[in-house]
Every structure is written in C-alpha cells, then in structure tokens.
Amino acid sequence: MLLIILSWIYTLITTIHLGYGLDKCLILNNKNFVITSVLGLFSATILGSIWAIFGRINFEFHVFLLALNAFIFFRYKSNILEIYKTFISEIKYLTYSLRLYLASIIVLIIAQCAAKPYVIDNESYYIQTIKWINEYGFVKGLANLHIFFGQTSGWHIAQSVFNFSFLYPNFNDLSGFCLMLGTIFSVFKLNSYFDNGIKIYLIVGLLPISNVLLFQFISAPSPDLPVYIFSFMLFFYFVAYFKEPSSQKFDLLVILALFVVFIKITAIAMLLIPLLFFITNFKLLKSKLATSFVISILVLALFLIKNTIITGYPMYPTQLLSNFSFDFKVPKMLISFYFDETKLYGFYSTQAEFESMNQIQIFIKWLTVHKINAVFNITSVVLVIFGSYFIFKFHNQKAYWLLYLIMIFQFGLLLFTSPQFRFFIHFLLFFSFLILVCFQNFKRTIIILLYGSSLIVAFLVLVPINYSALTTNKLLAENSHFSISEIVFPYPNSKLKTHFHKHQIGNLVYNSPDKNSYFWTNGSGKLPCVNIQQINYFKVNYHYIPQMRTKNLNDGFYSKKVYTNE
C-alpha cells in the first residue's frame, strides 16, 4: 500500500500539471480539480502514444516527462498552487459524513490495488501488452504473436507511463487511481446536490454505490473501468452544459469522448455525445471547431498508426482500409477466428449451436445465459424498454432523451458485435441511478446507501470469498482480498503461480507457461511470451506460426504459412 500511495502522489502531481498545461493551451477554463487530473491523464496518454511509435516508454521518456512537469509547474506556479488550495477548501466544505466516507473509500481502493489482481484479461494480455510498450514501444505485427495484443488500449499506454517499470515491477494499478478520481468527482457532486437540488448532481453522485462492482476491476489496468468513470463525467457535463453551451464546454466533451474511445473502441457510441451537443448548438459552435478538430485528428491519427503498426489494419478491430500490404499484417483468417470466438463467447454458444438457432432463440439464450451474466443482461433489456417511461415521467429534458437514444444505439451495436454486459455497464449504472432518484432523494437515505455499499466493499476487500456460485471460471472463483503482507509492497502483477519454459519454432524462441495454464495465458513471462497451446492450435488448424521479422525483437513479427508436417 505504501508504495502505491507514493506512486499515486507523483501521478496526481504530474497529471494536475499536465492537465493545467493542456487547459492553458486550449483555453478550456476548467475549474474542476478532478477534470484537471483527467486532462493530465489524457495528455500523458497522447504523449506516450507518440513516443511509443519511435521507441520504448522507459527511463528516457520519464526524463522528458519530468522536465515537462517541472517546466509547467515553474511557469505557472502560482496558478497551480491555487488549484491545490481550492481543492483542499472544497474538501473542507464537504459534510463530515462525506469527508469520512471519502477518506475510508480511498483507503479501501488503495488496499484493493495492493491485493492480488482479479481481472482474468490481466493474465492473457494486460501485463504483456504493457511490458512490450515499456521495453520496445509499438512493435510491428505484435498481434501475430498473440492476437489479443492487437487490442492494445490507450489505457495500457497510460499505465505504461505510470508503472515506473525501470524502478519497480509491481505497479499495475492506474485503474484504482482512476476510481479514486471518479469517487472524488461524484462525492463533490453529491455534496453540491445537497445545496442546489439539481438531479444530475445526485445521479452522478450515486456512482460510489456501484463500488461493490467497480472494485473488481481496479487491481489490474482494465480499460473497462476508466470507460465507466469518464462516461459518467461525460454524462454529467452533457446534461449540465446542455442549456448553457459554449465552445470551451464543447471542447471538454470532445476530449472526454475521444479519451473514452481511445481507451476502448467498443465505447464508440460515446462520440455521439459531443456530436449531438454540436448539432443542438450548431449556430453557436459552427465557427469554433478549430480546437476540437485538431484534437480529433491527432487522436484519430494515433489510433490508426497504433493499429497499423501492431496489426497491419488501420481500423482494427474492423478490416476497413485493409488494402495496405505489410509483411507483418495479421492473416484475415486469424482475425476472423478471434472475433467469431468473441461473439460466440458473448452468447456462450458453440459455432454449431449458434448456426442452428434463429435470431429470437439467440436473444433468449443471451438473456438466460447463466448466473451473473443473465442478471446484467436482463437488467439491460429492462432499462432499454422502460427507461423512456421514467425519463418522460420524472426527467423530461432533451439531454436525458438524447442519452437514452445513445444507450439504445450502444445496446444494438453490442448485440451485433460482442454482447458482453461489461461493455454496457456505464449506461446500465447511469440509468439505474436515474430511476432510483425518482423514488429516493433524501439526504439521510443517500448517506446510508453510501456507507452500506462501503461496508460491503470493505468485507470483499478484507475477507476471502468463494464466487463459485456466480461463475464457472476457476480463475474468478475467489475474490482478490487484501493481506497484511501487502501493507508496504503490493502483490505482484500476476496472480498465477506458474513456471515458464523456453520453446522454439522456426526462428522464434519464446517462453510458455506450464501445460495446465489456460489457452490464452501469458502471465508475467519474459518477452516474448505465448502459450505453446496457441502456437500448436494455429499451426494445426490454420497453418500459421509466428516468426520474427529479423533477429531483433523490436523489428516485430509476421505469420508464416506452414504445413502440418513442418
């Protein structure tokens, strides 16, 4: 815990300075402490993405970042110090019950981050993706080694900036830092609601109630968590700014939406928020698009470049604009295999089962899939169907109707691509809270809900629990709980107790985990690392094996066509 606290202090200072620098350059006139830090995270991610095109995000990058950090601070020292003073004043202005809640939940967030990582994708590609960025930057054709590496997220780039791998190997907790920012943002909005009575402040202020769910994402750098947190910020500003638009407010919406999509392309519906804000206020904003246009082009360019380098497909995960010929381009049949499997996983069906069902049967199977998935899937459908009633009855404002339409669009998009409830949670939570405030908005009840959820969170963080009744996945069957041994040093980035063995195929020498590891496992093995089960599976069934393009790892990989007897 102690080391995480120290790293977060530096991360917070750096993001505040970078965020203020970006605000100053773009003239956003932002006054919110948390949003300043989020702008700093966005700046660090963009800078890291540019740097990773040319080399590793390691010691050299941090020298540059520290110099930039110092320059901004000393150039705007008085203004930045005022940001900190204002934030401290805002904390003092919180009610005693909210100050106590905020302090306790931050301690629990740090404790959870110090504990064993829980997210299963951490073992398949989070750790390895970040390692590759730290040691080599963006590597050509890296997805040929492991198809999951094609999903390199903006959040993994941000984590590679703030994991300080050249100093210590076990920092992997930027999602926890993000949840801390989101909790502070929400608690401040809730405190404002007690004064102004505006419902959007209460809806967003209830976000910490969902920490029972969100805590499961924070001991590893899951891109899902920042999507949820930043989406709530987007929802808040879209509604709050809707009747008082300005170019600065529009630019902030654009940055938040671009950041969310750069982190997770499945959240592409979030781009409709600034678009609808622009359309609604066309006359005011039509001549003030320069800032948003430049930022959008920069983020789009980085997205295309990142994807092209890693997979050979600019618009990955789609195959649009895929006519370019690169020797490191991932074969289309491997991409098709991955996305077919992803879709089947969402419906928990085999290919034969899926093809034998009609659309109604597929939808019913998705609704009743099993255990926790079914609960979230059914809740999502209920919100989509009945959300309009509650908006009409209690929140009949254009901004809420537009968010409702965006939710429907996102829901439909996921059903036809990757129908996993975790890609819809930000909408599910927002509209659940929207309905909740229709029936309950008394201060005492809200405080009880907050403290009740925090007690459940504390129990989950401190007590070992078996989840086998909710999931069939053995890796998720036990919760990630804090141990006294982690009070100074956090748990290692991987929870797998596995050994790695060297293997060779063609010119590729790689590390593979033990035979009992699941198919996609990489864990924290030394680079390059890939499960021998994958190598053999794709060789036998698709006649491709990954090979190094040269003798140097930083020159990347390609897929070589082979025959089963080779």
Side-chain angles (χ1 to χ4, degrees), residues 193-206:
Y193 168 76
F194 294 149
D195 290 334
N196 62 32
I198 300 174
K199 289 296 178 64
I200 186 61
Y201 285 78
L202 175 56
I203 294 170
V204 172
L206 292 176

Side-chain angles (χ1 to χ4, degrees), residues 51 55-65 130-131 133-137 160-161 163-167:
W51 191 284
R56 63 180 190 169
I57 296 180
N58 209 285
F59 176 79
E60 310 87 351
F61 177 80
H62 281 273
V63 172
F64 159 75
L65 191 65
I130 294 164
K131 272 191 177 186
I133 297 173
N134 281 146
E135 297 189 27
Y136 296 100
S160 73
V161 171
N163 69 346
F164 317 107
S165 61
F166 59 96
L167 293 175

Side-chain angles (χ1 to χ4, degrees), residues 392-533:
F392 177 76
K393 186 75 173 178
F394 301 98
H395 306 278
N396 197 7
Q397 299 176 29
K398 188 175 182 179
Y400 288 111
W401 282 110
L402 291 175
L403 288 179
Y404 176 71
L405 292 176
I406 294 171
M407 176 180 70
I408 293 175
F409 175 79
Q410 175 79 8
F411 184 75
L413 189 65
L414 292 180
L415 279 180
F416 287 101
T417 54
S418 183
Q420 299 179 45
F421 71 84
R422 62 192 177 97
F423 298 153
F424 194 71
I425 285 179
H426 45 310
F427 285 106
L428 190 153
L429 291 177
F430 182 82
F431 282 93
S432 295
F433 295 148
L434 181 147
I435 293 173
L436 177 62
V437 304
C438 297
F439 303 101
Q440 187 55 256
N441 54 24
F442 295 109
K443 181 177 179 179
R444 179 177 294 179
T445 305
I446 293 167
I447 297 300
I448 291 174
L449 286 174
L450 283 178
Y451 275 89
S453 69
S454 68
L455 287 175
I456 296 173
V457 166
F459 181 78
L460 294 175
V461 171
L462 300 176
V463 179
I465 300 173
N466 191 294
Y467 289 150
S468 58
L470 298 176
T471 179
T472 57
N473 193 315
K474 294 181 180 180
L475 290 173
L476 302 179
E478 294 184 358
N479 68 321
S480 171
H481 64 278
F482 177 74
S483 168
I484 195 68
S485 63
E486 293 146 7
I487 198 162
V488 176
F489 300 98
Y491 194 92
N493 292 348
S494 173
K495 67 178 178 180
L496 298 182
K497 300 297 184 182
T498 186
H499 297 93
F500 293 85
H501 308 277
K502 283 192 177 297
H503 297 271
Q504 182 168 356
I505 185 166
N507 69 357
L508 174 65
V509 178
Y510 63 97
N511 298 288
S512 175
D514 293 329
K515 292 181 179 180
N516 59 353
S517 300
Y518 73 100
F519 187 81
W520 299 111
T521 300
N522 275 326
S524 60
K526 292 183 179 179
L527 305 182
C529 184
V530 61
N531 197 321
I532 192 172
Q533 296 179 55

Side-chain angles (χ1 to χ4, degrees), residues 21-306:
L22 181 64
D23 184 280
K24 196 73 175 176
C25 290
L26 303 183
I27 318 177
L28 297 175
N29 295 325
N30 164 63
K31 303 299 181 184
N32 186 284
F33 181 84
V34 170
I35 295 299
T36 301
S37 182
V38 173
L39 292 174
L41 283 170
F42 175 76
S43 302
T45 304
I46 296 302
L47 291 172
S49 299
I50 296 171
W51 191 284
I53 295 171
F54 305 100
R56 63 180 190 169
I57 296 180
N58 209 285
F59 176 79
E60 310 87 351
F61 177 80
H62 281 273
V63 172
F64 159 75
L65 191 65
L66 185 61
L68 180 61
N69 196 349
F71 170 77
I72 293 173
F73 177 74
F74 288 111
R75 176 67 177 81
Y76 303 105
K77 182 177 179 180
S78 59
N79 293 349
I80 291 175
L81 290 176
E82 188 62 32
I83 292 174
Y84 292 118
K85 291 177 183 177
T86 301
F87 176 62
I88 293 173
S89 298
E90 290 176 338
I91 290 179
K92 292 179 179 178
Y93 184 71
L94 292 174
T95 63
Y96 175 78
S97 58
L98 287 182
R99 279 204 307 272
L100 180 61
Y101 170 78
L102 187 59
S104 61
I105 205 68
I106 288 176
V107 171
L108 288 173
I109 289 173
I110 297 171
Q112 181 68 72
C113 288
K116 183 187 302 184
Y118 181 72
V119 181
I120 190 171
D121 282 340
N122 186 58
E123 309 298 343
S124 60
Y125 76 102
Y126 292 175
I127 298 171
Q128 291 289 313
T129 296
I130 294 164
K131 272 191 177 186
W132 279 105
I133 297 173
N134 281 146
E135 297 189 27
Y136 296 100
F138 297 151
V139 175
K140 292 179 180 178
L142 183 61
N144 288 292
L145 182 66
H146 191 307
I147 194 66
F148 283 21
F149 294 156
Q151 301 180 80
T152 298
S153 164
W155 198 240
H156 297 141
I157 299 168
Q159 179 67 82
S160 73
V161 171
F162 291 110
N163 69 346
F164 317 107
S165 61
F166 59 96
L167 293 175
Y168 185 69
N170 294 345
F171 290 134
N172 203 38
D173 42 62
L174 192 62
S175 288
F177 179 81
C178 179
L179 182 59
M180 180 184 71
L181 293 180
T183 302
I184 294 171
F185 183 86
S186 297
V187 167
F188 280 15
K189 297 309 174 190
L190 183 59
N191 194 64
S192 296
Y193 168 76
F194 294 149
D195 290 334
N196 62 32
I198 300 174
K199 289 296 178 64
I200 186 61
Y201 285 78
L202 175 56
I203 294 170
V204 172
L206 292 176
L207 177 61
I209 293 176
S210 63
N211 278 342
V212 174
L213 169 67
L214 300 183
F215 260 59
Q216 308 308 311
F217 293 90
I218 64 174
S219 54
S222 168
D224 295 314
L225 192 283
V227 169
Y228 307 153
I229 299 300
F230 300 154
S231 292
F232 259 71
M233 296 175 184
L234 255 173
F235 297 151
F236 173 81
Y237 285 117
F238 180 71
V239 175
Y241 289 166
F242 199 79
K243 293 182 178 179
E244 297 179 358
S246 70
S247 59
Q248 292 90 348
K249 295 171 182 176
F250 172 66
D251 290 339
L252 177 59
L253 291 177
V254 169
I255 290 172
L256 289 174
L258 288 172
F259 197 13
V260 168
V261 175
F262 195 60
I263 290 171
K264 194 86 172 181
I265 190 62
T266 54
I268 194 169
M270 301 305 292
L271 292 178
L272 292 175
I273 290 181
L275 178 61
L276 292 175
F277 189 87
F278 171 74
I279 292 172
T280 306
N281 303 284
F282 179 75
K283 291 182 179 179
L284 174 66
L285 300 174
K286 64 180 180 179
S287 61
K288 301 175 181 179
L289 291 176
T291 298
S292 295
F293 179 78
V294 170
I295 295 173
S296 299
I297 292 298
L298 174 60
V299 174
L300 176 61
L302 290 174
F303 178 78
L304 297 177
I305 293 170
K306 168 181 71 73

